[in-house]
Amino acid sequence: MAEFWDGYALPGLWIAAKIGALLIPLLLSVAYLTWFERKVMAAMQLRMGPNVVGPWGLWQPFADALKMVVKETIIPTKANPGLFLLAPMLTFMLALIAWAVMPVGDGLVISNVNVGVLYLFAISSLGVYGIVIAGWASNSRYAFLGALRSAAQMVSYEVSMGFVIICVLLCVGSLNLSDIVRAQETVWFVFPLLPMAVVFFISTLAETNRHPFDLPEAESELVAGHLVEYSAMTFGLFFLGEYANMILMSGMTTILFLGGWLPPIDIAPLNWIPGPIWFVLKISALLFVFVWVRATFPRYRYDQLMRLGWKVFLPLSLFWVVLTAGVLVAFGWAPGAEG
Amino acid sequence: MLIQFIVFYVFAAVVVGSAFMVIAARNPVHSVLFLILSFFNAAGLFVLAGAEFLAMTLVIVYVGAVAVLFLFVVMMLDINFVRLRQGFMQYLPLGAMLGAILLVELLLVVGAFVVSPEVDTLAAPMPPVEQQSNTHALGQLLYTRYMYLFQASGMILLVAMIGAIVLTFRVRTGVRRQSIRAQVARTRADAVELKKVVSGAGISGSL
């Protein structure tokens, strides 16, 4: 009994506590990201935004959540009910499980795996399944077109994302996310790898189906793409999944290029602020850019989207991999070159 | 250890079960989804075996890319299930024969399989797990000892890719393509002309 208690139950409870400590703030951030987006866009368009429910409209996310929970979930007659319900759950779940390897501070990580960056890449590449399954299971033309667009788009942009990650890995010499952050103590990778950071950020816009790459749900042509047939909480899970994915992708960009939990310069007033706060600040700055982009740019046309992915980003990032490797080897900066 | 056993059997059972469902499911889309489930659990087995790099690569390559494209194609098939059942009895003898031949061949291969006695001298020395992660170990082997094989497999994939592009490539005439360069190179002077129009005179002559 004692062995069971010490060997399984206590570690299990400890892990559950850590997951709770991460997920509750994360879900709150997801809720308030929707409020943040509406407020920022309103300010950019000289409107008020939500301002009725609570002070500055701060209770708006909870009002929206309540509305979605009490509405009726409608499953279309000709839909495939099992897959139709599986799709939103899958989307939301994938957006959350990726956080298992995300280091929010020095040593503050649920699972410090050796291949953390590959895990993140794998999970983010699975996000397409939620949309594809939703599009197929809805048995609706618009939803299906949205799903097809999403599949092609995400596969295209993953390729250049992979090459960008390789550039960072060449500079670090490890796949561990905490090691990647520690390697940026002298300089954040956004400075030496600036073009790759830009390519990565634009690719994350495409991966999360955000403007200007929101073709899967282009409301002016496809109504709402894969979301057409969804209502109430099934829609809510897609919606929350999209915002959770935005936070996840911003976190990934922060870790790969903006030095994770590290302060900008390691001097007195800046390094008093604890790491997780720096991490959250950097993610918030990136999320602001997400919203800014949405309020600024028109939607890409589909062939332009494909051209950007395959004819611009892919050659550029491939070239940059070769360049990074060449520079590192030529100057003897490659990590672990001696060993 | 107990939990590891339980997890192993769960993963293994789901792999076998979903692999069976791939061929048993009536709807091809369900088949592909079961295939994905089976890939996933195979990745879980790799993680249990301590090969986390292989596990992640399996998920990224097979689930994240190959199966997406597979699903992409299968979803667009318009399948008539009644017609699909019709020729079943007709093709059964041929199919059963092929299956039997394959089974016999597999049994022969597996039966004759022995691990080479000098395997210890042939295989590259494995660094201990504590010193080197399996990502490093794999890279070290692939880029030194198996360099030529690795490059050759890359070449084969490249040739296959170029072949697929060549087979499907066709030059279409009469297609109006967007020229990004011409569009970006346009200046205000090329595109806009400001006219001071005298009231009632119109702008005839300039258009």
Side-chain angles (χ1 to χ4, degrees), chain A residues 8 80 83 114-115 118 121 126 129 132 136 148 151 175 301 304 307, chain B residues 1-3 27 30 36 40 52 60 63 67-68 72 75 135 178 180:
Chain A
Y8 299 116
N80 191 319
L83 290 178
N114 276 334
V115 288
L118 284 184
F121 189 56
L126 297 180
Y129 281 110
V132 170
W136 184 78
L148 291 184
L175 295 166
R301 211 173 59 205
Q304 291 171 333
R307 179 186 166 275
Chain B
M1 288 319 280
L2 176 71
I3 286 196
N27 192 325
H30 292 175
I36 293 164
F40 241 113
E52 66 264 12
I60 292 172
V63 185
V68 173
F72 190 90
M75 277 196 321
T135 317
Q178 180 183 22
I180 301 275

PDB file of all heavy atoms in Angstrom, chain A residues 8 80 83 114-115 118 121 126 129 132 136 148 151 175 301 304 307, chain B residues 1-3 27 30 36 40 52 60 63 67-68 72 75 135 178 180:
ATOM      1  N   TYR A   8       2.817   5.808  -7.062  1.00  0.00           N
ATOM      2  CA  TYR A   8       1.869   6.219  -8.103  1.00  0.00           C
ATOM      3  C   TYR A   8       0.975   7.370  -7.685  1.00  0.00           C
ATOM      4  O   TYR A   8       0.830   8.347  -8.406  1.00  0.00           O
ATOM      5  CB  TYR A   8       0.984   5.032  -8.505  1.00  0.00           C
ATOM      6  CG  TYR A   8       1.776   3.880  -9.058  1.00  0.00           C
ATOM      7  CD1 TYR A   8       1.812   2.664  -8.408  1.00  0.00           C
ATOM      8  CD2 TYR A   8       2.488   4.039 -10.240  1.00  0.00           C
ATOM      9  CE1 TYR A   8       2.557   1.622  -8.916  1.00  0.00           C
ATOM     10  CE2 TYR A   8       3.229   3.002 -10.752  1.00  0.00           C
ATOM     11  CZ  TYR A   8       3.262   1.783 -10.092  1.00  0.00           C
ATOM     12  OH  TYR A   8       3.982   0.767 -10.599  1.00  0.00           O
ATOM     13  N   ASN A  80     -22.377  12.841 -39.863  1.00  0.00           N
ATOM     14  CA  ASN A  80     -21.860  11.639 -39.213  1.00  0.00           C
ATOM     15  C   ASN A  80     -21.692  11.990 -37.736  1.00  0.00           C
ATOM     16  O   ASN A  80     -20.730  12.669 -37.379  1.00  0.00           O
ATOM     17  CB  ASN A  80     -20.517  11.323 -39.866  1.00  0.00           C
ATOM     18  CG  ASN A  80     -20.001   9.974 -39.482  1.00  0.00           C
ATOM     19  OD1 ASN A  80     -20.116   9.604 -38.327  1.00  0.00           O
ATOM     20  ND2 ASN A  80     -19.439   9.258 -40.417  1.00  0.00           N
ATOM     21  N   LEU A  83     -18.187  11.525 -35.585  1.00  0.00           N
ATOM     22  CA  LEU A  83     -17.072  12.362 -36.014  1.00  0.00           C
ATOM     23  C   LEU A  83     -17.417  13.843 -35.879  1.00  0.00           C
ATOM     24  O   LEU A  83     -16.561  14.663 -35.584  1.00  0.00           O
ATOM     25  CB  LEU A  83     -16.710  12.052 -37.472  1.00  0.00           C
ATOM     26  CG  LEU A  83     -16.064  10.694 -37.692  1.00  0.00           C
ATOM     27  CD1 LEU A  83     -15.806  10.479 -39.164  1.00  0.00           C
ATOM     28  CD2 LEU A  83     -14.774  10.606 -36.928  1.00  0.00           C
ATOM     29  N   ASN A 114      13.197  15.486 -23.991  1.00  0.00           N
ATOM     30  CA  ASN A 114      14.361  15.770 -24.839  1.00  0.00           C
ATOM     31  C   ASN A 114      13.975  16.308 -26.194  1.00  0.00           C
ATOM     32  O   ASN A 114      14.738  17.023 -26.813  1.00  0.00           O
ATOM     33  CB  ASN A 114      15.150  14.474 -25.057  1.00  0.00           C
ATOM     34  CG  ASN A 114      16.084  14.211 -23.926  1.00  0.00           C
ATOM     35  OD1 ASN A 114      16.497  15.142 -23.258  1.00  0.00           O
ATOM     36  ND2 ASN A 114      16.392  12.956 -23.693  1.00  0.00           N
ATOM     37  N   VAL A 115      12.804  15.909 -26.682  1.00  0.00           N
ATOM     38  CA  VAL A 115      12.435  16.273 -28.050  1.00  0.00           C
ATOM     39  C   VAL A 115      11.266  17.245 -28.022  1.00  0.00           C
ATOM     40  O   VAL A 115      10.365  17.168 -28.843  1.00  0.00           O
ATOM     41  CB  VAL A 115      12.077  15.023 -28.875  1.00  0.00           C
ATOM     42  CG1 VAL A 115      13.315  14.231 -29.183  1.00  0.00           C
ATOM     43  CG2 VAL A 115      11.075  14.178 -28.165  1.00  0.00           C
ATOM     44  N   LEU A 118      10.099  19.000 -31.191  1.00  0.00           N
ATOM     45  CA  LEU A 118       9.435  18.092 -32.138  1.00  0.00           C
ATOM     46  C   LEU A 118       8.017  17.783 -31.683  1.00  0.00           C
ATOM     47  O   LEU A 118       7.102  17.673 -32.494  1.00  0.00           O
ATOM     48  CB  LEU A 118      10.219  16.784 -32.264  1.00  0.00           C
ATOM     49  CG  LEU A 118      11.482  16.829 -33.094  1.00  0.00           C
ATOM     50  CD1 LEU A 118      12.064  15.439 -33.176  1.00  0.00           C
ATOM     51  CD2 LEU A 118      11.183  17.339 -34.470  1.00  0.00           C
ATOM     52  N   PHE A 121       5.892  20.652 -32.617  1.00  0.00           N
ATOM     53  CA  PHE A 121       5.686  20.657 -34.063  1.00  0.00           C
ATOM     54  C   PHE A 121       4.669  19.583 -34.455  1.00  0.00           C
ATOM     55  O   PHE A 121       3.772  19.825 -35.265  1.00  0.00           O
ATOM     56  CB  PHE A 121       7.031  20.423 -34.743  1.00  0.00           C
ATOM     57  CG  PHE A 121       7.012  20.623 -36.220  1.00  0.00           C
ATOM     58  CD1 PHE A 121       6.578  21.811 -36.760  1.00  0.00           C
ATOM     59  CD2 PHE A 121       7.444  19.626 -37.071  1.00  0.00           C
ATOM     60  CE1 PHE A 121       6.563  22.001 -38.126  1.00  0.00           C
ATOM     61  CE2 PHE A 121       7.432  19.810 -38.429  1.00  0.00           C
ATOM     62  CZ  PHE A 121       6.990  20.997 -38.957  1.00  0.00           C
ATOM     63  N   LEU A 126      -1.085  18.471 -36.088  1.00  0.00           N
ATOM     64  CA  LEU A 126      -2.305  17.667 -36.005  1.00  0.00           C
ATOM     65  C   LEU A 126      -3.551  18.533 -36.000  1.00  0.00           C
ATOM     66  O   LEU A 126      -4.663  18.031 -36.168  1.00  0.00           O
ATOM     67  CB  LEU A 126      -2.295  16.822 -34.730  1.00  0.00           C
ATOM     68  CG  LEU A 126      -1.185  15.796 -34.656  1.00  0.00           C
ATOM     69  CD1 LEU A 126      -1.288  15.030 -33.371  1.00  0.00           C
ATOM     70  CD2 LEU A 126      -1.303  14.862 -35.818  1.00  0.00           C
ATOM     71  N   TYR A 129      -6.544  18.133 -38.367  1.00  0.00           N
ATOM     72  CA  TYR A 129      -7.534  17.056 -38.346  1.00  0.00           C
ATOM     73  C   TYR A 129      -8.883  17.509 -37.822  1.00  0.00           C
ATOM     74  O   TYR A 129      -9.920  17.077 -38.326  1.00  0.00           O
ATOM     75  CB  TYR A 129      -7.029  15.881 -37.510  1.00  0.00           C
ATOM     76  CG  TYR A 129      -6.058  15.054 -38.289  1.00  0.00           C
ATOM     77  CD1 TYR A 129      -4.725  15.034 -37.960  1.00  0.00           C
ATOM     78  CD2 TYR A 129      -6.482  14.351 -39.388  1.00  0.00           C
ATOM     79  CE1 TYR A 129      -3.826  14.318 -38.701  1.00  0.00           C
ATOM     80  CE2 TYR A 129      -5.596  13.624 -40.139  1.00  0.00           C
ATOM     81  CZ  TYR A 129      -4.268  13.607 -39.787  1.00  0.00           C
ATOM     82  OH  TYR A 129      -3.392  12.915 -40.533  1.00  0.00           O
ATOM     83  N   VAL A 132     -10.510  19.191 -40.750  1.00  0.00           N
ATOM     84  CA  VAL A 132     -10.832  18.292 -41.856  1.00  0.00           C
ATOM     85  C   VAL A 132     -11.981  17.362 -41.472  1.00  0.00           C
ATOM     86  O   VAL A 132     -12.925  17.162 -42.246  1.00  0.00           O
ATOM     87  CB  VAL A 132      -9.577  17.490 -42.261  1.00  0.00           C
ATOM     88  CG1 VAL A 132      -9.945  16.395 -43.220  1.00  0.00           C
ATOM     89  CG2 VAL A 132      -8.563  18.412 -42.894  1.00  0.00           C
ATOM     90  N   TRP A 136     -15.723  17.180 -43.190  1.00  0.00           N
ATOM     91  CA  TRP A 136     -16.267  15.989 -43.834  1.00  0.00           C
ATOM     92  C   TRP A 136     -17.527  15.516 -43.121  1.00  0.00           C
ATOM     93  O   TRP A 136     -18.516  15.162 -43.752  1.00  0.00           O
ATOM     94  CB  TRP A 136     -15.217  14.884 -43.837  1.00  0.00           C
ATOM     95  CG  TRP A 136     -15.693  13.671 -44.566  1.00  0.00           C
ATOM     96  CD1 TRP A 136     -15.741  13.500 -45.912  1.00  0.00           C
ATOM     97  CD2 TRP A 136     -16.218  12.490 -43.978  1.00  0.00           C
ATOM     98  NE1 TRP A 136     -16.260  12.280 -46.209  1.00  0.00           N
ATOM     99  CE2 TRP A 136     -16.561  11.643 -45.036  1.00  0.00           C
ATOM    100  CE3 TRP A 136     -16.428  12.066 -42.674  1.00  0.00           C
ATOM    101  CZ2 TRP A 136     -17.099  10.386 -44.831  1.00  0.00           C
ATOM    102  CZ3 TRP A 136     -16.967  10.816 -42.457  1.00  0.00           C
ATOM    103  CH2 TRP A 136     -17.295   9.985 -43.538  1.00  0.00           C
ATOM    104  N   LEU A 148     -11.025  21.305 -47.186  1.00  0.00           N
ATOM    105  CA  LEU A 148     -10.011  21.062 -48.213  1.00  0.00           C
ATOM    106  C   LEU A 148      -8.982  22.186 -48.221  1.00  0.00           C
ATOM    107  O   LEU A 148      -7.778  21.950 -48.309  1.00  0.00           O
ATOM    108  CB  LEU A 148     -10.664  20.949 -49.586  1.00  0.00           C
ATOM    109  CG  LEU A 148     -11.528  19.722 -49.811  1.00  0.00           C
ATOM    110  CD1 LEU A 148     -12.017  19.701 -51.233  1.00  0.00           C
ATOM    111  CD2 LEU A 148     -10.725  18.466 -49.531  1.00  0.00           C
ATOM    112  N   ALA A 151      -6.649  21.836 -45.218  1.00  0.00           N
ATOM    113  CA  ALA A 151      -5.666  20.756 -45.312  1.00  0.00           C
ATOM    114  C   ALA A 151      -4.493  21.188 -46.178  1.00  0.00           C
ATOM    115  O   ALA A 151      -3.326  21.063 -45.791  1.00  0.00           O
ATOM    116  CB  ALA A 151      -6.324  19.500 -45.881  1.00  0.00           C
ATOM    117  N   LEU A 175      17.150  19.571 -28.830  1.00  0.00           N
ATOM    118  CA  LEU A 175      15.729  19.677 -29.143  1.00  0.00           C
ATOM    119  C   LEU A 175      14.918  20.026 -27.913  1.00  0.00           C
ATOM    120  O   LEU A 175      13.702  20.103 -27.968  1.00  0.00           O
ATOM    121  CB  LEU A 175      15.223  18.349 -29.717  1.00  0.00           C
ATOM    122  CG  LEU A 175      15.804  17.919 -31.056  1.00  0.00           C
ATOM    123  CD1 LEU A 175      15.473  16.467 -31.316  1.00  0.00           C
ATOM    124  CD2 LEU A 175      15.243  18.756 -32.156  1.00  0.00           C
ATOM    125  N   ARG A 301      -5.807  35.786 -51.476  1.00  0.00           N
ATOM    126  CA  ARG A 301      -6.528  34.914 -52.393  1.00  0.00           C
ATOM    127  C   ARG A 301      -5.839  33.556 -52.328  1.00  0.00           C
ATOM    128  O   ARG A 301      -4.673  33.472 -51.966  1.00  0.00           O
ATOM    129  CB  ARG A 301      -6.437  35.501 -53.792  1.00  0.00           C
ATOM    130  CG  ARG A 301      -7.621  35.229 -54.662  1.00  0.00           C
ATOM    131  CD  ARG A 301      -7.493  36.000 -55.938  1.00  0.00           C
ATOM    132  NE  ARG A 301      -6.265  35.615 -56.614  1.00  0.00           N
ATOM    133  CZ  ARG A 301      -5.625  36.385 -57.467  1.00  0.00           C
ATOM    134  NH1 ARG A 301      -6.070  37.594 -57.731  1.00  0.00           N
ATOM    135  NH2 ARG A 301      -4.529  35.971 -58.060  1.00  0.00           N
ATOM    136  N   GLN A 304      -2.587  33.001 -54.181  1.00  0.00           N
ATOM    137  CA  GLN A 304      -1.517  33.823 -53.604  1.00  0.00           C
ATOM    138  C   GLN A 304      -0.971  33.187 -52.336  1.00  0.00           C
ATOM    139  O   GLN A 304       0.232  33.190 -52.074  1.00  0.00           O
ATOM    140  CB  GLN A 304      -2.046  35.218 -53.294  1.00  0.00           C
ATOM    141  CG  GLN A 304      -2.362  36.012 -54.527  1.00  0.00           C
ATOM    142  CD  GLN A 304      -3.089  37.287 -54.196  1.00  0.00           C
ATOM    143  OE1 GLN A 304      -3.774  37.386 -53.192  1.00  0.00           O
ATOM    144  NE2 GLN A 304      -2.951  38.261 -55.061  1.00  0.00           N
ATOM    145  N   ARG A 307       1.233  30.388 -53.396  1.00  0.00           N
ATOM    146  CA  ARG A 307       2.467  30.912 -53.961  1.00  0.00           C
ATOM    147  C   ARG A 307       3.405  31.369 -52.850  1.00  0.00           C
ATOM    148  O   ARG A 307       4.591  31.053 -52.870  1.00  0.00           O
ATOM    149  CB  ARG A 307       2.124  32.095 -54.876  1.00  0.00           C
ATOM    150  CG  ARG A 307       3.331  32.721 -55.499  1.00  0.00           C
ATOM    151  CD  ARG A 307       2.981  33.959 -56.270  1.00  0.00           C
ATOM    152  NE  ARG A 307       4.194  34.684 -56.570  1.00  0.00           N
ATOM    153  CZ  ARG A 307       4.769  35.547 -55.746  1.00  0.00           C
ATOM    154  NH1 ARG A 307       4.221  35.787 -54.584  1.00  0.00           N
ATOM    155  NH2 ARG A 307       5.875  36.157 -56.080  1.00  0.00           N
TER     156      ARG A 307
ATOM    157  N   MET B   1       6.712  -0.232 -12.417  1.00  0.00           N
ATOM    158  CA  MET B   1       6.706  -1.020 -13.649  1.00  0.00           C
ATOM    159  C   MET B   1       5.298  -1.407 -14.063  1.00  0.00           C
ATOM    160  O   MET B   1       5.002  -1.550 -15.249  1.00  0.00           O
ATOM    161  CB  MET B   1       7.523  -2.297 -13.454  1.00  0.00           C
ATOM    162  CG  MET B   1       9.019  -2.073 -13.372  1.00  0.00           C
ATOM    163  SD  MET B   1       9.604  -0.867 -14.562  1.00  0.00           S
ATOM    164  CE  MET B   1       9.687  -1.815 -16.058  1.00  0.00           C
ATOM    165  N   LEU B   2       4.422  -1.560 -13.066  1.00  0.00           N
ATOM    166  CA  LEU B   2       3.072  -2.039 -13.344  1.00  0.00           C
ATOM    167  C   LEU B   2       2.384  -1.140 -14.360  1.00  0.00           C
ATOM    168  O   LEU B   2       1.809  -1.607 -15.349  1.00  0.00           O
ATOM    169  CB  LEU B   2       2.286  -2.091 -12.031  1.00  0.00           C
ATOM    170  CG  LEU B   2       0.826  -2.495 -12.203  1.00  0.00           C
ATOM    171  CD1 LEU B   2       0.746  -3.954 -12.576  1.00  0.00           C
ATOM    172  CD2 LEU B   2       0.043  -2.217 -10.935  1.00  0.00           C
ATOM    173  N   ILE B   3       2.502   0.176 -14.129  1.00  0.00           N
ATOM    174  CA  ILE B   3       1.816   1.122 -15.014  1.00  0.00           C
ATOM    175  C   ILE B   3       2.351   0.998 -16.434  1.00  0.00           C
ATOM    176  O   ILE B   3       1.601   1.032 -17.408  1.00  0.00           O
ATOM    177  CB  ILE B   3       1.971   2.553 -14.462  1.00  0.00           C
ATOM    178  CG1 ILE B   3       1.059   2.702 -13.260  1.00  0.00           C
ATOM    179  CG2 ILE B   3       1.652   3.582 -15.515  1.00  0.00           C
ATOM    180  CD1 ILE B   3       0.807   4.088 -12.836  1.00  0.00           C
ATOM    181  N   ASN B  27     -16.535   2.411 -44.391  1.00  0.00           N
ATOM    182  CA  ASN B  27     -16.336   3.739 -44.956  1.00  0.00           C
ATOM    183  C   ASN B  27     -14.842   4.021 -45.063  1.00  0.00           C
ATOM    184  O   ASN B  27     -14.125   3.911 -44.078  1.00  0.00           O
ATOM    185  CB  ASN B  27     -17.000   4.749 -44.022  1.00  0.00           C
ATOM    186  CG  ASN B  27     -17.108   6.100 -44.646  1.00  0.00           C
ATOM    187  OD1 ASN B  27     -16.224   6.505 -45.391  1.00  0.00           O
ATOM    188  ND2 ASN B  27     -18.168   6.786 -44.364  1.00  0.00           N
ATOM    189  N   HIS B  30     -13.400   6.389 -42.514  1.00  0.00           N
ATOM    190  CA  HIS B  30     -13.183   5.773 -41.200  1.00  0.00           C
ATOM    191  C   HIS B  30     -11.905   4.945 -41.212  1.00  0.00           C
ATOM    192  O   HIS B  30     -11.167   4.924 -40.233  1.00  0.00           O
ATOM    193  CB  HIS B  30     -14.374   4.897 -40.830  1.00  0.00           C
ATOM    194  CG  HIS B  30     -15.616   5.682 -40.582  1.00  0.00           C
ATOM    195  ND1 HIS B  30     -16.825   5.104 -40.326  1.00  0.00           N
ATOM    196  CD2 HIS B  30     -15.823   7.008 -40.566  1.00  0.00           C
ATOM    197  CE1 HIS B  30     -17.735   6.050 -40.158  1.00  0.00           C
ATOM    198  NE2 HIS B  30     -17.154   7.211 -40.303  1.00  0.00           N
ATOM    199  N   ILE B  36      -4.786   6.439 -38.699  1.00  0.00           N
ATOM    200  CA  ILE B  36      -4.139   7.492 -37.923  1.00  0.00           C
ATOM    201  C   ILE B  36      -4.055   7.090 -36.453  1.00  0.00           C
ATOM    202  O   ILE B  36      -3.029   7.277 -35.795  1.00  0.00           O
ATOM    203  CB  ILE B  36      -4.925   8.810 -38.098  1.00  0.00           C
ATOM    204  CG1 ILE B  36      -4.797   9.293 -39.530  1.00  0.00           C
ATOM    205  CG2 ILE B  36      -4.449   9.862 -37.134  1.00  0.00           C
ATOM    206  CD1 ILE B  36      -5.794  10.332 -39.900  1.00  0.00           C
ATOM    207  N   PHE B  40      -0.680   6.627 -34.169  1.00  0.00           N
ATOM    208  CA  PHE B  40      -0.529   7.320 -32.896  1.00  0.00           C
ATOM    209  C   PHE B  40      -0.086   6.385 -31.795  1.00  0.00           C
ATOM    210  O   PHE B  40       0.827   6.654 -31.020  1.00  0.00           O
ATOM    211  CB  PHE B  40      -1.882   7.890 -32.484  1.00  0.00           C
ATOM    212  CG  PHE B  40      -1.839   9.345 -32.380  1.00  0.00           C
ATOM    213  CD1 PHE B  40      -2.538  10.129 -33.247  1.00  0.00           C
ATOM    214  CD2 PHE B  40      -1.059   9.934 -31.407  1.00  0.00           C
ATOM    215  CE1 PHE B  40      -2.474  11.479 -33.172  1.00  0.00           C
ATOM    216  CE2 PHE B  40      -0.986  11.289 -31.319  1.00  0.00           C
ATOM    217  CZ  PHE B  40      -1.698  12.067 -32.201  1.00  0.00           C
ATOM    218  N   GLU B  52      12.156   8.355 -28.247  1.00  0.00           N
ATOM    219  CA  GLU B  52      11.214   9.468 -28.398  1.00  0.00           C
ATOM    220  C   GLU B  52      11.379  10.197 -29.730  1.00  0.00           C
ATOM    221  O   GLU B  52      10.418  10.708 -30.280  1.00  0.00           O
ATOM    222  CB  GLU B  52      11.324  10.440 -27.230  1.00  0.00           C
ATOM    223  CG  GLU B  52      12.621  11.196 -27.116  1.00  0.00           C
ATOM    224  CD  GLU B  52      13.585  10.532 -26.145  1.00  0.00           C
ATOM    225  OE1 GLU B  52      13.329   9.384 -25.746  1.00  0.00           O
ATOM    226  OE2 GLU B  52      14.590  11.162 -25.797  1.00  0.00           O
ATOM    227  N   ILE B  60       4.959  13.309 -36.834  1.00  0.00           N
ATOM    228  CA  ILE B  60       5.073  14.453 -37.743  1.00  0.00           C
ATOM    229  C   ILE B  60       4.926  14.008 -39.188  1.00  0.00           C
ATOM    230  O   ILE B  60       4.173  14.586 -39.960  1.00  0.00           O
ATOM    231  CB  ILE B  60       6.435  15.164 -37.544  1.00  0.00           C
ATOM    232  CG1 ILE B  60       6.473  15.841 -36.182  1.00  0.00           C
ATOM    233  CG2 ILE B  60       6.658  16.195 -38.629  1.00  0.00           C
ATOM    234  CD1 ILE B  60       7.830  16.390 -35.831  1.00  0.00           C
ATOM    235  N   VAL B  63       1.438  11.034 -39.484  1.00  0.00           N
ATOM    236  CA  VAL B  63       0.133  11.575 -39.109  1.00  0.00           C
ATOM    237  C   VAL B  63      -0.014  12.999 -39.617  1.00  0.00           C
ATOM    238  O   VAL B  63      -1.042  13.382 -40.152  1.00  0.00           O
ATOM    239  CB  VAL B  63      -0.047  11.522 -37.573  1.00  0.00           C
ATOM    240  CG1 VAL B  63      -1.420  11.969 -37.207  1.00  0.00           C
ATOM    241  CG2 VAL B  63       0.210  10.124 -37.075  1.00  0.00           C
ATOM    242  N   ALA B  67      -0.840  11.203 -43.788  1.00  0.00           N
ATOM    243  CA  ALA B  67      -2.241  10.842 -43.594  1.00  0.00           C
ATOM    244  C   ALA B  67      -3.171  12.000 -43.920  1.00  0.00           C
ATOM    245  O   ALA B  67      -4.315  11.774 -44.337  1.00  0.00           O
ATOM    246  CB  ALA B  67      -2.455  10.366 -42.158  1.00  0.00           C
ATOM    247  N   VAL B  68      -2.694  13.249 -43.759  1.00  0.00           N
ATOM    248  CA  VAL B  68      -3.547  14.388 -44.123  1.00  0.00           C
ATOM    249  C   VAL B  68      -3.838  14.337 -45.619  1.00  0.00           C
ATOM    250  O   VAL B  68      -4.991  14.482 -46.049  1.00  0.00           O
ATOM    251  CB  VAL B  68      -2.865  15.727 -43.759  1.00  0.00           C
ATOM    252  CG1 VAL B  68      -3.664  16.885 -44.299  1.00  0.00           C
ATOM    253  CG2 VAL B  68      -2.732  15.863 -42.271  1.00  0.00           C
ATOM    254  N   PHE B  72      -7.277  13.655 -47.472  1.00  0.00           N
ATOM    255  CA  PHE B  72      -7.661  14.658 -48.453  1.00  0.00           C
ATOM    256  C   PHE B  72      -8.225  13.982 -49.706  1.00  0.00           C
ATOM    257  O   PHE B  72      -9.267  14.366 -50.231  1.00  0.00           O
ATOM    258  CB  PHE B  72      -6.391  15.440 -48.790  1.00  0.00           C
ATOM    259  CG  PHE B  72      -6.582  16.675 -49.593  1.00  0.00           C
ATOM    260  CD1 PHE B  72      -6.790  17.879 -48.958  1.00  0.00           C
ATOM    261  CD2 PHE B  72      -6.513  16.643 -50.962  1.00  0.00           C
ATOM    262  CE1 PHE B  72      -6.956  19.032 -49.691  1.00  0.00           C
ATOM    263  CE2 PHE B  72      -6.671  17.792 -51.699  1.00  0.00           C
ATOM    264  CZ  PHE B  72      -6.896  18.993 -51.061  1.00  0.00           C
ATOM    265  N   MET B  75     -11.443  11.600 -48.840  1.00  0.00           N
ATOM    266  CA  MET B  75     -12.671  12.355 -48.569  1.00  0.00           C
ATOM    267  C   MET B  75     -13.377  12.744 -49.854  1.00  0.00           C
ATOM    268  O   MET B  75     -14.585  12.888 -49.885  1.00  0.00           O
ATOM    269  CB  MET B  75     -12.333  13.634 -47.799  1.00  0.00           C
ATOM    270  CG  MET B  75     -12.185  13.430 -46.332  1.00  0.00           C
ATOM    271  SD  MET B  75     -12.243  14.965 -45.432  1.00  0.00           S
ATOM    272  CE  MET B  75     -11.356  16.088 -46.429  1.00  0.00           C
ATOM    273  N   THR B 135      18.401  11.120 -30.073  1.00  0.00           N
ATOM    274  CA  THR B 135      18.474  11.972 -31.259  1.00  0.00           C
ATOM    275  C   THR B 135      19.927  12.114 -31.713  1.00  0.00           C
ATOM    276  O   THR B 135      20.241  11.956 -32.896  1.00  0.00           O
ATOM    277  CB  THR B 135      17.919  13.362 -30.930  1.00  0.00           C
ATOM    278  OG1 THR B 135      16.733  13.203 -30.160  1.00  0.00           O
ATOM    279  CG2 THR B 135      17.619  14.139 -32.163  1.00  0.00           C
ATOM    280  N   GLN B 178      -1.297  35.883 -62.583  1.00  0.00           N
ATOM    281  CA  GLN B 178      -0.932  37.121 -61.919  1.00  0.00           C
ATOM    282  C   GLN B 178       0.580  37.256 -61.939  1.00  0.00           C
ATOM    283  O   GLN B 178       1.294  36.330 -61.578  1.00  0.00           O
ATOM    284  CB  GLN B 178      -1.418  37.062 -60.471  1.00  0.00           C
ATOM    285  CG  GLN B 178      -1.097  38.297 -59.691  1.00  0.00           C
ATOM    286  CD  GLN B 178      -1.544  38.147 -58.261  1.00  0.00           C
ATOM    287  OE1 GLN B 178      -1.714  37.036 -57.769  1.00  0.00           O
ATOM    288  NE2 GLN B 178      -1.711  39.255 -57.584  1.00  0.00           N
ATOM    289  N   ILE B 180       3.275  38.956 -60.114  1.00  0.00           N
ATOM    290  CA  ILE B 180       3.476  39.722 -58.881  1.00  0.00           C
ATOM    291  C   ILE B 180       4.490  40.833 -59.133  1.00  0.00           C
ATOM    292  O   ILE B 180       4.343  41.952 -58.650  1.00  0.00           O
ATOM    293  CB  ILE B 180       3.976  38.793 -57.757  1.00  0.00           C
ATOM    294  CG1 ILE B 180       2.978  37.674 -57.502  1.00  0.00           C
ATOM    295  CG2 ILE B 180       4.249  39.573 -56.492  1.00  0.00           C
ATOM    296  CD1 ILE B 180       1.875  37.974 -56.584  1.00  0.00           C
TER     297      ILE B 180
END
